[in-house]
């Protein structure tokens, strides 16, 4: 699907309300995504995904997407080289930050491999849950 389709699925208003205090992280994430984008139409998606990483929820939720698969589809289609690097299906936000740590040659994990790390479930665990738009609607009922 084209970039406009994915942007239409997102809650862009939610993205504008995310904190601006971490602009340096945003710029690093944006550069990572742009380095792996499939073309010029990837730029607005990269900006939205980078901004969504600054939220406190799962990335797909902060983007306002209906489920994690929509985010995975977006990344597979518009950032295929980056998508292909997530061979273990790590949570996307954690995966992006891991990529930034590897670029900076920072060893973020104290365990010798993810398989023996005490925080394995935090990186690879289930991301089921309602879309945040659904939560906000039901909270007002």
């Amino acid at each position: 699907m084209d970039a406009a389709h994915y942007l239409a699925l997102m809650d862009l208003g939610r993205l504008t309300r995310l904190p601006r205090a971490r602009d340096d992280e945003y710029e690093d994430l944006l550069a990572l995504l742009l380095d792996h984008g499939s073309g010029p139409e990837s730029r607005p998606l990269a900006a939205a995904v980078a901004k969504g990483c600054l939220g406190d929820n799962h990335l797909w939720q902060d983007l306002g997407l209906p489920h994690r698969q929509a985010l995975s589809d977006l990344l597979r289609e518009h950032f295929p080289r980056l998508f292909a690097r997530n061979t273990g299906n790590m949570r996307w936000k954690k995966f992006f930050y891991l990529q930034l740590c590897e670029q900076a040659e920072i060893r973020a994990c104290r365990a010798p491999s993810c398989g023996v790390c005490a925080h394995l479930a935090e990186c690879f665990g289930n991301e089921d849950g309602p879309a945040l738009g659904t939560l906000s609607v039901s909270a007002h009922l």
Side-chain angles (χ1 to χ4, degrees), residues 10-78:
M10 292 181 190
D11 183 346
L12 299 176
R14 179 187 307 279
L15 291 176
T16 62
R17 293 187 300 274
L18 290 175
R20 299 252 340 152
R22 296 167 28 208
D23 282 344
D24 57 330
E25 287 178 37
Y26 169 81
E27 293 298 328
D28 290 342
L29 290 159
L30 179 61
L32 173 72
L33 289 158
L34 290 174
D35 285 347
H36 293 87
S38 60
E41 84 165 2
S42 299
R43 188 163 190 47
L45 291 172
V49 171
K51 184 66 174 172
C53 286
L54 303 180
D56 294 328
N57 303 294
H58 294 304
L59 179 55
W60 65 269
Q61 290 175 318
D62 282 323
L63 289 171
L65 295 172
H67 41 70
R68 184 179 194 265
Q69 188 59 50
L71 175 60
S72 293
D73 292 344
L74 177 159
L75 295 169
R76 185 182 63 252
E77 293 171 27
H78 294 278

Side-chain angles (χ1 to χ4, degrees), residues 1 6 8 27 30 33 45 50 54 68 70 77-79 87-88 95 102 113 116-117 129 133 135-136 138 140:
M1 289 184 220
Y6 286 109
E27 293 298 328
L30 179 61
L33 289 158
L45 291 172
L54 303 180
R68 184 179 194 265
E77 293 171 27
H78 294 278
F79 305 93
T87 59
F95 174 75
E102 287 178 0
S113 73
V116 297
C117 180
L135 289 176
S136 62
S138 63
H140 297 299

